[in-house]
Amino acid sequence: MFQKIANILSIASFVLVTSIIGGGWFGYKYITSEQFKSKMMNQVLDQVQGLMPDMLGNSIPKMTAPPTSTPFKLPKL
């Protein structure tokens, strides 16, 4: 009787371990695939574009600020 229970538990343990290893392997292959990478990049870029304000209004400024002087003298070389 004990032998039957031990065999059943051994088979169940083997099935459990192989399914965990198989699931981990397929998960690793999916996460490292180019398809997953491009899918995640598209999702991130869609969310970031919604957060960024329209600062320039799709135009380049005509003038920028004048250069500032340094608070100390630079040594001559």
Side-chain angles (χ1 to χ4, degrees):
M1 183 67 179
F2 179 75
Q3 186 69 31
K4 279 187 174 184
I5 294 172
N7 287 340
I8 291 172
L9 289 176
S10 175
I11 292 170
S13 174
F14 176 76
V15 170
L16 181 67
V17 167
T18 54
S19 65
I20 289 172
I21 291 172
W25 187 77
F26 282 112
Y28 173 76
K29 285 296 193 182
Y30 177 70
I31 287 175
T32 58
S33 69
E34 287 296 321
Q35 178 185 6
F36 180 76
K37 185 178 180 180
S38 64
K39 182 180 176 182
M40 288 296 112
M41 278 300 257
N42 287 338
Q43 286 182 359
V44 167
L45 289 177
D46 286 344
Q47 290 179 1
V48 168
Q49 284 176 349
L51 296 174
M52 291 178 62
D54 190 14
M55 302 274 279
L56 296 176
N58 295 329
S59 66
I60 297 174
K62 297 194 182 348
M63 187 176 85
T64 59
T68 58
S69 62
T70 58
F72 55 86
K73 294 230 177 220
L74 295 174
K76 290 186 179 183
L77 298 177

